[in-house]
Amino acid sequence: DRLAAEGTLFANAYSNNPVCGPFRGILYSGRYSKDNRVQKNGQALREGEETLPKELARLGYETGFVGKLHLGADGNGAVPEKYWAGHGHFFGYQCYNGFRDQVCFYDEQGTEHQFYEHRTDVTARLGIERIAELARSGKPFLQTIFFQAPHYPEQPSEQYERLYDGVEFPMPEQYGQIEPYTPTYSPYSPRPFALCPDYARYGGNQQNQPQQGQDYILLHKSSIMAVFVLTSRKPAGSLRRRKRKKRRKKKTERKAVPEKGALPEAVPG
């Protein structure tokens, strides 16, 4: 609440590519997926790609990342620095994490840390800890926190599972037949799926079991949210001024270079 009150809160945010990895590629590079080359999950930003964390670091900012990255690799394991999109500090993972057990995060040295609580709670707690650490540095900072939820709508924390009971979410016009059930790996979903309590609640034919469809929509719609908050100890215009200065310098350099094939001016005498 304090960050939102003292910074800039984007109440409406839209992504040019809502897929996990490509969205991060766009957010950090400021360029479309066709230009930054992150067009599907697991792909890395181009080598030498300019990113927001790199630019802020040049301005003296500390930069950190916490949570799910999914840039440069799939699976779960140590994340090399070349995939951090220019962040100076890192505590996160690529993808396929647990959600209640074996929630694995990897630090800057590649050491695995396991937690046994809901991964949303883990991500929030680690993010707050890192914000406090960066604040103590006395420097302006950028801290990015990415949550994996709501990838699997059947995985809310137990305390929030019935939060929206009695709330009616109308189906969108384009709503069609779906299979909302997604098997999980932590804990491992029973096989066959018919033995899984989550499948009994969310899976199967939604046309014949409308309540299951309503439960799915309740959890999924109520959990889809992107929160963007910007706050800085430096004037927001400092970054814009730096970019304008670089553009003016490039224009001056272009004017000073003679056109291809042009002859040098004759020197008198």
Side-chain angles (χ1 to χ4, degrees), residues 171-222:
M171 298 290 191
E173 292 182 6
Q174 68 273 26
Y175 178 79
Q177 284 295 98
I178 60 170
E179 173 52 76
Y181 173 76
T182 305
T184 65
Y185 297 91
S186 175
Y188 194 73
S189 295
R191 305 293 195 274
F193 295 149
L195 299 178
C196 179
D198 285 334
Y199 183 83
R201 180 175 178 186
Y202 302 106
N205 189 319
Q206 300 303 300
Q207 186 173 3
N208 295 332
Q209 302 179 65
Q211 184 55 46
Q212 290 184 10
Q214 182 66 14
D215 281 348
Y216 169 81
I217 293 297
L218 268 174
L219 283 173
H220 194 61
K221 276 198 166 185
S222 61

Short mmCIF file of all heavy atoms in Angstrom, two decimals, residues 171-222:
data_model
loop_
_atom_site.label_atom_id
_atom_site.label_comp_id
_atom_site.label_asym_id
_atom_site.label_seq_id
_atom_site.Cartn_x
_atom_site.Cartn_y
_atom_site.Cartn_z
N MET A 171 -20.05 -15.54 -17.51
CA MET A 171 -19.21 -16.14 -18.53
C MET A 171 -19.03 -15.16 -19.68
O MET A 171 -19.99 -14.49 -20.09
CB MET A 171 -19.83 -17.43 -19.06
CG MET A 171 -20.02 -18.52 -18.02
SD MET A 171 -18.47 -19.22 -17.48
CE MET A 171 -19.06 -20.65 -16.55
N PRO A 172 -17.82 -15.04 -20.25
CA PRO A 172 -17.63 -14.16 -21.41
C PRO A 172 -18.36 -14.71 -22.63
O PRO A 172 -18.67 -15.90 -22.71
CB PRO A 172 -16.11 -14.19 -21.62
CG PRO A 172 -15.66 -15.46 -20.99
CD PRO A 172 -16.58 -15.70 -19.84
N GLU A 173 -18.66 -13.83 -23.58
CA GLU A 173 -19.41 -14.24 -24.78
C GLU A 173 -18.70 -15.34 -25.54
O GLU A 173 -19.33 -16.21 -26.13
CB GLU A 173 -19.63 -13.03 -25.69
CG GLU A 173 -20.57 -11.98 -25.11
CD GLU A 173 -20.78 -10.83 -26.07
OE1 GLU A 173 -20.28 -10.92 -27.21
OE2 GLU A 173 -21.44 -9.86 -25.69
N GLN A 174 -17.36 -15.29 -25.58
CA GLN A 174 -16.61 -16.25 -26.37
C GLN A 174 -16.31 -17.54 -25.61
O GLN A 174 -15.58 -18.40 -26.08
CB GLN A 174 -15.30 -15.63 -26.87
CG GLN A 174 -14.27 -15.34 -25.77
CD GLN A 174 -14.47 -13.98 -25.15
OE1 GLN A 174 -15.59 -13.47 -25.17
NE2 GLN A 174 -13.41 -13.39 -24.62
N TYR A 175 -16.90 -17.69 -24.42
CA TYR A 175 -16.62 -18.86 -23.61
C TYR A 175 -17.10 -20.12 -24.32
O TYR A 175 -18.20 -20.17 -24.84
CB TYR A 175 -17.31 -18.73 -22.25
CG TYR A 175 -17.12 -19.94 -21.35
CD1 TYR A 175 -15.94 -20.11 -20.65
CD2 TYR A 175 -18.12 -20.89 -21.23
CE1 TYR A 175 -15.75 -21.21 -19.83
CE2 TYR A 175 -17.95 -21.99 -20.41
CZ TYR A 175 -16.76 -22.15 -19.72
OH TYR A 175 -16.58 -23.25 -18.91
N GLY A 176 -16.23 -21.13 -24.34
CA GLY A 176 -16.58 -22.39 -24.97
C GLY A 176 -16.18 -23.56 -24.10
O GLY A 176 -15.75 -23.39 -22.96
N GLN A 177 -16.33 -24.76 -24.64
CA GLN A 177 -15.99 -25.95 -23.90
C GLN A 177 -14.49 -25.97 -23.58
O GLN A 177 -13.65 -25.76 -24.46
CB GLN A 177 -16.36 -27.20 -24.70
CG GLN A 177 -17.86 -27.48 -24.70
CD GLN A 177 -18.36 -27.82 -23.32
OE1 GLN A 177 -18.89 -26.97 -22.62
NE2 GLN A 177 -18.18 -29.06 -22.90
N ILE A 178 -14.16 -26.21 -22.35
CA ILE A 178 -12.76 -26.29 -21.94
C ILE A 178 -12.59 -27.47 -20.99
O ILE A 178 -13.55 -27.99 -20.45
CB ILE A 178 -12.30 -25.01 -21.21
CG1 ILE A 178 -13.16 -24.78 -19.96
CG2 ILE A 178 -12.29 -23.82 -22.11
CD1 ILE A 178 -12.63 -23.69 -19.06
N GLU A 179 -11.36 -27.89 -20.84
CA GLU A 179 -11.03 -28.85 -19.80
C GLU A 179 -10.18 -28.10 -18.78
O GLU A 179 -8.99 -27.88 -18.98
CB GLU A 179 -10.25 -30.03 -20.38
CG GLU A 179 -9.71 -31.00 -19.33
CD GLU A 179 -10.80 -31.46 -18.35
OE1 GLU A 179 -11.62 -32.30 -18.73
OE2 GLU A 179 -10.81 -30.94 -17.22
N PRO A 180 -10.79 -27.61 -17.70
CA PRO A 180 -10.07 -26.75 -16.78
C PRO A 180 -9.05 -27.46 -15.90
O PRO A 180 -8.19 -26.84 -15.31
CB PRO A 180 -11.19 -26.15 -15.93
CG PRO A 180 -12.26 -27.16 -15.98
CD PRO A 180 -12.20 -27.77 -17.34
N TYR A 181 -9.17 -28.77 -15.79
CA TYR A 181 -8.28 -29.50 -14.89
C TYR A 181 -6.85 -29.52 -15.42
O TYR A 181 -6.60 -29.79 -16.60
CB TYR A 181 -8.77 -30.92 -14.69
CG TYR A 181 -7.81 -31.78 -13.90
CD1 TYR A 181 -7.70 -31.63 -12.53
CD2 TYR A 181 -7.01 -32.72 -14.53
CE1 TYR A 181 -6.82 -32.40 -11.79
CE2 TYR A 181 -6.13 -33.50 -13.81
CZ TYR A 181 -6.03 -33.34 -12.44
OH TYR A 181 -5.15 -34.10 -11.72
N THR A 182 -5.89 -29.23 -14.55
CA THR A 182 -4.47 -29.31 -14.90
C THR A 182 -3.77 -30.16 -13.84
O THR A 182 -3.80 -29.81 -12.66
CB THR A 182 -3.81 -27.92 -14.92
OG1 THR A 182 -4.55 -27.08 -15.81
CG2 THR A 182 -2.37 -28.02 -15.38
N PRO A 183 -3.15 -31.27 -14.23
CA PRO A 183 -2.44 -32.08 -13.22
C PRO A 183 -1.25 -31.32 -12.64
O PRO A 183 -0.70 -30.44 -13.29
CB PRO A 183 -1.98 -33.30 -14.03
CG PRO A 183 -1.92 -32.83 -15.44
CD PRO A 183 -3.03 -31.82 -15.58
N THR A 184 -0.90 -31.64 -11.43
CA THR A 184 0.20 -30.94 -10.75
C THR A 184 1.33 -31.93 -10.43
O THR A 184 1.16 -33.14 -10.51
CB THR A 184 -0.28 -30.28 -9.46
OG1 THR A 184 -0.69 -31.30 -8.54
CG2 THR A 184 -1.46 -29.36 -9.72
N TYR A 185 2.46 -31.36 -10.08
CA TYR A 185 3.64 -32.17 -9.79
C TYR A 185 4.08 -32.05 -8.33
O TYR A 185 4.97 -32.78 -7.91
CB TYR A 185 4.77 -31.76 -10.72
CG TYR A 185 4.43 -32.03 -12.17
CD1 TYR A 185 3.82 -31.05 -12.94
CD2 TYR A 185 4.65 -33.28 -12.74
CE1 TYR A 185 3.46 -31.30 -14.26
CE2 TYR A 185 4.29 -33.53 -14.05
CZ TYR A 185 3.71 -32.55 -14.81
OH TYR A 185 3.34 -32.81 -16.10
N SER A 186 3.50 -31.16 -7.59
CA SER A 186 3.87 -31.00 -6.19
C SER A 186 2.66 -30.50 -5.41
O SER A 186 2.39 -29.31 -5.39
CB SER A 186 5.03 -30.01 -6.04
OG SER A 186 5.31 -29.77 -4.68
N PRO A 187 1.86 -31.38 -4.81
CA PRO A 187 2.02 -32.84 -4.82
C PRO A 187 1.64 -33.44 -6.18
O PRO A 187 0.92 -32.81 -6.95
CB PRO A 187 1.05 -33.30 -3.74
CG PRO A 187 -0.01 -32.23 -3.72
CD PRO A 187 0.70 -30.96 -4.01
N TYR A 188 2.13 -34.64 -6.45
CA TYR A 188 1.90 -35.29 -7.74
C TYR A 188 0.45 -35.72 -7.86
O TYR A 188 -0.10 -36.37 -6.97
CB TYR A 188 2.82 -36.50 -7.85
CG TYR A 188 2.94 -37.07 -9.23
CD1 TYR A 188 3.67 -36.39 -10.21
CD2 TYR A 188 2.34 -38.26 -9.57
CE1 TYR A 188 3.79 -36.90 -11.49
CE2 TYR A 188 2.45 -38.78 -10.85
CZ TYR A 188 3.18 -38.10 -11.80
OH TYR A 188 3.30 -38.61 -13.07
N SER A 189 -0.21 -35.33 -8.93
CA SER A 189 -1.62 -35.67 -9.13
C SER A 189 -1.79 -37.17 -9.33
O SER A 189 -1.00 -37.80 -10.04
CB SER A 189 -2.18 -34.94 -10.34
OG SER A 189 -2.18 -33.54 -10.14
N PRO A 190 -2.81 -37.75 -8.69
CA PRO A 190 -3.05 -39.19 -8.85
C PRO A 190 -3.33 -39.56 -10.30
O PRO A 190 -3.84 -38.75 -11.08
CB PRO A 190 -4.28 -39.44 -7.97
CG PRO A 190 -4.34 -38.29 -7.03
CD PRO A 190 -3.76 -37.13 -7.78
N ARG A 191 -2.95 -40.75 -10.67
CA ARG A 191 -3.28 -41.30 -11.98
C ARG A 191 -4.10 -42.57 -11.75
O ARG A 191 -3.76 -43.37 -10.90
CB ARG A 191 -2.01 -41.64 -12.78
CG ARG A 191 -1.03 -40.47 -12.95
CD ARG A 191 -1.63 -39.37 -13.84
NE ARG A 191 -0.60 -38.44 -14.31
CZ ARG A 191 -0.16 -37.38 -13.67
NH1 ARG A 191 -0.67 -37.09 -12.48
NH2 ARG A 191 0.76 -36.58 -14.18
N PRO A 192 -5.20 -42.81 -12.49
CA PRO A 192 -5.78 -41.90 -13.48
C PRO A 192 -6.38 -40.66 -12.81
O PRO A 192 -6.62 -40.66 -11.60
CB PRO A 192 -6.86 -42.76 -14.13
CG PRO A 192 -7.27 -43.72 -13.05
CD PRO A 192 -6.00 -44.03 -12.32
N PHE A 193 -6.61 -39.63 -13.60
CA PHE A 193 -7.06 -38.37 -13.06
C PHE A 193 -8.39 -38.47 -12.33
O PHE A 193 -8.68 -37.67 -11.44
CB PHE A 193 -7.18 -37.32 -14.18
CG PHE A 193 -5.87 -36.97 -14.81
CD1 PHE A 193 -5.79 -36.60 -16.15
CD2 PHE A 193 -4.70 -37.00 -14.07
CE1 PHE A 193 -4.58 -36.27 -16.74
CE2 PHE A 193 -3.47 -36.68 -14.65
CZ PHE A 193 -3.42 -36.31 -15.98
N ALA A 194 -9.19 -39.48 -12.69
CA ALA A 194 -10.49 -39.63 -12.04
C ALA A 194 -10.35 -39.85 -10.54
O ALA A 194 -11.29 -39.60 -9.78
CB ALA A 194 -11.25 -40.79 -12.68
N LEU A 195 -9.16 -40.28 -10.08
CA LEU A 195 -8.93 -40.50 -8.66
C LEU A 195 -8.52 -39.23 -7.94
O LEU A 195 -8.38 -39.23 -6.71
CB LEU A 195 -7.83 -41.57 -8.47
CG LEU A 195 -8.14 -42.95 -9.06
CD1 LEU A 195 -6.95 -43.88 -8.84
CD2 LEU A 195 -9.40 -43.54 -8.42
N CYS A 196 -8.30 -38.15 -8.68
CA CYS A 196 -7.81 -36.91 -8.09
C CYS A 196 -8.99 -36.05 -7.60
O CYS A 196 -9.91 -35.77 -8.36
CB CYS A 196 -6.99 -36.12 -9.11
SG CYS A 196 -6.36 -34.55 -8.48
N PRO A 197 -8.97 -35.61 -6.34
CA PRO A 197 -10.06 -34.75 -5.84
C PRO A 197 -10.20 -33.46 -6.65
O PRO A 197 -11.32 -32.96 -6.82
CB PRO A 197 -9.63 -34.44 -4.40
CG PRO A 197 -8.70 -35.55 -4.02
CD PRO A 197 -7.99 -35.92 -5.29
N ASP A 198 -9.08 -32.92 -7.15
CA ASP A 198 -9.17 -31.72 -7.96
C ASP A 198 -9.92 -31.98 -9.26
O ASP A 198 -10.68 -31.14 -9.75
CB ASP A 198 -7.78 -31.17 -8.28
CG ASP A 198 -7.15 -30.48 -7.08
OD1 ASP A 198 -7.91 -29.99 -6.23
OD2 ASP A 198 -5.91 -30.43 -7.00
N TYR A 199 -9.70 -33.16 -9.85
CA TYR A 199 -10.42 -33.50 -11.08
C TYR A 199 -11.91 -33.62 -10.80
O TYR A 199 -12.75 -33.19 -11.60
CB TYR A 199 -9.89 -34.79 -11.69
CG TYR A 199 -10.56 -35.13 -13.01
CD1 TYR A 199 -10.12 -34.54 -14.19
CD2 TYR A 199 -11.65 -35.99 -13.06
CE1 TYR A 199 -10.74 -34.82 -15.39
CE2 TYR A 199 -12.28 -36.27 -14.26
CZ TYR A 199 -11.82 -35.68 -15.42
OH TYR A 199 -12.45 -35.95 -16.61
N ALA A 200 -12.25 -34.19 -9.64
CA ALA A 200 -13.66 -34.33 -9.29
C ALA A 200 -14.32 -32.96 -9.18
O ALA A 200 -15.51 -32.81 -9.45
CB ALA A 200 -13.80 -35.09 -7.97
N ARG A 201 -13.55 -31.96 -8.80
CA ARG A 201 -14.13 -30.62 -8.63
C ARG A 201 -14.07 -29.80 -9.91
O ARG A 201 -15.00 -29.06 -10.22
CB ARG A 201 -13.40 -29.88 -7.51
CG ARG A 201 -13.96 -28.49 -7.30
CD ARG A 201 -13.33 -27.81 -6.11
NE ARG A 201 -13.87 -26.47 -5.98
CZ ARG A 201 -13.44 -25.57 -5.12
NH1 ARG A 201 -12.45 -25.86 -4.30
NH2 ARG A 201 -13.98 -24.38 -5.06
N TYR A 202 -12.96 -29.90 -10.65
CA TYR A 202 -12.76 -28.99 -11.78
C TYR A 202 -12.81 -29.67 -13.14
O TYR A 202 -12.94 -29.00 -14.15
CB TYR A 202 -11.40 -28.29 -11.66
CG TYR A 202 -11.24 -27.51 -10.39
CD1 TYR A 202 -10.43 -27.99 -9.37
CD2 TYR A 202 -11.91 -26.31 -10.19
CE1 TYR A 202 -10.29 -27.29 -8.19
CE2 TYR A 202 -11.77 -25.61 -9.01
CZ TYR A 202 -10.96 -26.10 -8.01
OH TYR A 202 -10.82 -25.40 -6.85
N GLY A 203 -12.65 -30.97 -13.20
CA GLY A 203 -12.49 -31.62 -14.49
C GLY A 203 -13.79 -32.08 -15.10
O GLY A 203 -14.86 -31.99 -14.51
N GLY A 204 -13.67 -32.58 -16.32
CA GLY A 204 -14.81 -33.20 -16.97
C GLY A 204 -15.61 -32.26 -17.84
O GLY A 204 -15.21 -31.15 -18.17
N ASN A 205 -16.79 -32.73 -18.22
CA ASN A 205 -17.65 -32.03 -19.16
C ASN A 205 -18.34 -30.85 -18.48
O ASN A 205 -19.21 -31.03 -17.64
CB ASN A 205 -18.69 -33.01 -19.71
CG ASN A 205 -19.48 -32.41 -20.85
OD1 ASN A 205 -19.85 -31.24 -20.80
ND2 ASN A 205 -19.73 -33.19 -21.87
N GLN A 206 -17.95 -29.65 -18.87
CA GLN A 206 -18.50 -28.46 -18.20
C GLN A 206 -19.96 -28.21 -18.58
O GLN A 206 -20.71 -27.58 -17.85
CB GLN A 206 -17.66 -27.24 -18.56
CG GLN A 206 -16.22 -27.37 -18.12
CD GLN A 206 -16.12 -27.62 -16.63
OE1 GLN A 206 -16.56 -26.83 -15.83
NE2 GLN A 206 -15.55 -28.76 -16.26
N GLN A 207 -20.36 -28.70 -19.75
CA GLN A 207 -21.75 -28.48 -20.17
C GLN A 207 -22.70 -29.28 -19.27
O GLN A 207 -23.77 -28.81 -18.91
CB GLN A 207 -21.92 -28.90 -21.63
CG GLN A 207 -23.30 -28.59 -22.18
CD GLN A 207 -23.38 -28.86 -23.67
OE1 GLN A 207 -22.42 -29.34 -24.27
NE2 GLN A 207 -24.51 -28.56 -24.27
N ASN A 208 -22.27 -30.49 -18.89
CA ASN A 208 -23.12 -31.33 -18.06
C ASN A 208 -22.93 -31.04 -16.57
O ASN A 208 -23.73 -31.45 -15.74
CB ASN A 208 -22.82 -32.81 -18.32
CG ASN A 208 -23.19 -33.20 -19.74
OD1 ASN A 208 -24.08 -32.61 -20.34
ND2 ASN A 208 -22.50 -34.20 -20.28
N GLN A 209 -21.83 -30.36 -16.23
CA GLN A 209 -21.55 -30.06 -14.83
C GLN A 209 -21.26 -28.56 -14.69
O GLN A 209 -20.12 -28.17 -14.47
CB GLN A 209 -20.37 -30.89 -14.33
CG GLN A 209 -20.60 -32.39 -14.48
CD GLN A 209 -19.41 -33.19 -13.99
OE1 GLN A 209 -19.10 -33.15 -12.80
NE2 GLN A 209 -18.75 -33.89 -14.88
N PRO A 210 -22.25 -27.70 -14.85
CA PRO A 210 -22.01 -26.26 -14.87
C PRO A 210 -21.40 -25.72 -13.59
O PRO A 210 -20.68 -24.73 -13.62
CB PRO A 210 -23.42 -25.68 -15.10
CG PRO A 210 -24.36 -26.76 -14.68
CD PRO A 210 -23.67 -28.05 -14.99
N GLN A 211 -21.67 -26.37 -12.44
CA GLN A 211 -21.10 -25.85 -11.19
C GLN A 211 -19.57 -25.96 -11.20
O GLN A 211 -18.88 -25.10 -10.68
CB GLN A 211 -21.67 -26.62 -9.99
CG GLN A 211 -21.19 -26.07 -8.64
CD GLN A 211 -21.46 -24.58 -8.48
OE1 GLN A 211 -22.55 -24.11 -8.77
NE2 GLN A 211 -20.46 -23.83 -8.03
N GLN A 212 -19.06 -27.03 -11.83
CA GLN A 212 -17.61 -27.16 -11.92
C GLN A 212 -17.03 -26.02 -12.75
O GLN A 212 -16.00 -25.45 -12.42
CB GLN A 212 -17.23 -28.51 -12.53
CG GLN A 212 -17.52 -29.68 -11.61
CD GLN A 212 -17.05 -30.99 -12.20
OE1 GLN A 212 -16.34 -31.01 -13.19
NE2 GLN A 212 -17.43 -32.09 -11.58
N GLY A 213 -17.73 -25.69 -13.83
CA GLY A 213 -17.27 -24.57 -14.65
C GLY A 213 -17.30 -23.27 -13.89
O GLY A 213 -16.38 -22.45 -14.00
N GLN A 214 -18.33 -23.07 -13.06
CA GLN A 214 -18.43 -21.85 -12.27
C GLN A 214 -17.31 -21.79 -11.24
O GLN A 214 -16.72 -20.73 -11.01
CB GLN A 214 -19.79 -21.79 -11.58
CG GLN A 214 -20.02 -20.52 -10.77
CD GLN A 214 -20.09 -19.26 -11.63
OE1 GLN A 214 -20.22 -19.35 -12.84
NE2 GLN A 214 -19.98 -18.11 -11.01
N ASP A 215 -16.98 -22.93 -10.61
CA ASP A 215 -15.87 -22.95 -9.65
C ASP A 215 -14.57 -22.57 -10.32
O ASP A 215 -13.75 -21.84 -9.75
CB ASP A 215 -15.74 -24.35 -9.02
CG ASP A 215 -16.77 -24.59 -7.93
OD1 ASP A 215 -17.41 -23.62 -7.51
OD2 ASP A 215 -16.92 -25.75 -7.50
N TYR A 216 -14.38 -23.08 -11.53
CA TYR A 216 -13.15 -22.77 -12.27
C TYR A 216 -13.06 -21.28 -12.57
O TYR A 216 -12.04 -20.63 -12.35
CB TYR A 216 -13.12 -23.57 -13.56
CG TYR A 216 -12.03 -23.13 -14.51
CD1 TYR A 216 -10.72 -23.57 -14.32
CD2 TYR A 216 -12.30 -22.28 -15.57
CE1 TYR A 216 -9.71 -23.16 -15.17
CE2 TYR A 216 -11.30 -21.87 -16.42
CZ TYR A 216 -10.01 -22.32 -16.23
OH TYR A 216 -9.02 -21.90 -17.07
N ILE A 217 -14.15 -20.72 -13.09
CA ILE A 217 -14.16 -19.30 -13.43
C ILE A 217 -13.93 -18.45 -12.18
O ILE A 217 -13.21 -17.45 -12.21
CB ILE A 217 -15.49 -18.93 -14.11
CG1 ILE A 217 -15.60 -19.61 -15.48
CG2 ILE A 217 -15.62 -17.42 -14.27
CD1 ILE A 217 -14.55 -19.16 -16.47
N LEU A 218 -14.54 -18.85 -11.06
CA LEU A 218 -14.36 -18.11 -9.81
C LEU A 218 -12.88 -17.99 -9.45
O LEU A 218 -12.37 -16.91 -9.21
CB LEU A 218 -15.10 -18.81 -8.67
CG LEU A 218 -16.53 -18.38 -8.39
CD1 LEU A 218 -17.14 -19.30 -7.33
CD2 LEU A 218 -16.57 -16.95 -7.91
N LEU A 219 -12.20 -19.13 -9.43
CA LEU A 219 -10.81 -19.13 -9.02
C LEU A 219 -9.92 -18.46 -10.05
O LEU A 219 -9.01 -17.71 -9.72
CB LEU A 219 -10.34 -20.57 -8.78
CG LEU A 219 -10.80 -21.19 -7.48
CD1 LEU A 219 -10.42 -22.67 -7.43
CD2 LEU A 219 -10.19 -20.48 -6.29
N HIS A 220 -10.19 -18.73 -11.33
CA HIS A 220 -9.30 -18.23 -12.38
C HIS A 220 -9.44 -16.73 -12.55
O HIS A 220 -8.46 -15.99 -12.55
CB HIS A 220 -9.61 -18.95 -13.69
CG HIS A 220 -8.54 -18.75 -14.72
ND1 HIS A 220 -7.24 -19.16 -14.52
CD2 HIS A 220 -8.58 -18.20 -15.95
CE1 HIS A 220 -6.51 -18.88 -15.58
NE2 HIS A 220 -7.29 -18.29 -16.47
N LYS A 221 -10.67 -16.24 -12.67
CA LYS A 221 -10.87 -14.81 -12.90
C LYS A 221 -10.46 -13.98 -11.69
O LYS A 221 -9.92 -12.88 -11.82
CB LYS A 221 -12.35 -14.53 -13.23
CG LYS A 221 -12.70 -14.74 -14.69
CD LYS A 221 -14.00 -14.03 -15.00
CE LYS A 221 -14.21 -13.92 -16.49
NZ LYS A 221 -15.39 -13.14 -16.82
N SER A 222 -10.72 -14.51 -10.50
CA SER A 222 -10.40 -13.74 -9.31
C SER A 222 -8.90 -13.69 -9.05
O SER A 222 -8.43 -12.87 -8.26
CB SER A 222 -11.09 -14.35 -8.09
OG SER A 222 -10.65 -15.67 -7.86
#
